[in-house]
Amino acid sequence: MRTLSLWLLLLASAWAEEQDKVMHSSPYHLDAHPFQAALFTSGHLFCGGVLVDRQWVLTAAHCKKPQLQVYLGKHNLHHQGSSEEEFTVVRKVVHPNYRPKTRDNDLMLLHLARPVKTSHRIQPLPKEPNCSAHKSHCQTLGWDKTEESVFPDNINCPEVHLVPKTDCEGAYPGHITRTMVCASSDQEGADSCQGDSEGPLICDNHLRGIMAWGDSPSGSKNKLGVYTDICMHLQWVKNIIRQDDSGL
């Protein structure tokens, strides 16, 4: 009887832990975010990104590698889905003012070898952000690493909100530039942190940022994730895509 009681206690504890994970980091639904990109190198996930045009993926500049493969419509890292497509990167365009030491202007556009065939599971995200929002309902997307420094099978999309620049500067004195925006959650376990896969910050169903860096440990309350602010770089993104469309 004592053994049964102990087993039931352990089962209840495990269930509560799983519920806590669900509350703080919502699972990724197959059709929810068709713009999410997974960047692989040497057969392993290296970074995340976001499809912003039929032939362009936006990610962080520090994700630059000689050989990158882009997967769209991917849900599980270790299983190939029926809607999943693989793309070769033929051109990498790093922001001209990117500074590796400070992660300032940490953006890179990847030109895919062919345009995507849009579907309900693969399609670009609107590039126009809501730059006037300060407390927007936002989500971060990524295969953020676990405490064992491994990527989970499935992507997660925790809910966060933007925080004032002064709070961000207070958390990271001397490290926040005008090209950065911060987001956090009121609950433990949902904020972006070091080890996230450079995925997008989505606010009001529009792209607002690309993960640059953050504090650790992952999931600690009041730790802020730092993103490259798309509002500061929207014209650069548009210009690169426009040049490609015009054959320049």
Side-chain angles (χ1 to χ4, degrees), residues 202-220:
I202 309 298
C203 297
D204 302 325
N205 297 315
H206 285 71
L207 179 63
R208 181 59 198 266
I210 294 290
M211 184 69 191
W213 53 277
D215 206 346
S216 60
S218 180
S220 299

Side-chain angles (χ1 to χ4, degrees), residues 18 37 51 83 87 89 94 103 114 136 164 168 235:
E18 287 302 312
L51 185 69
S83 62
F87 295 82
V89 176
V94 174
R103 295 277 177 92
R114 68 183 192 280
S136 294
C168 195
Q235 195 57 51

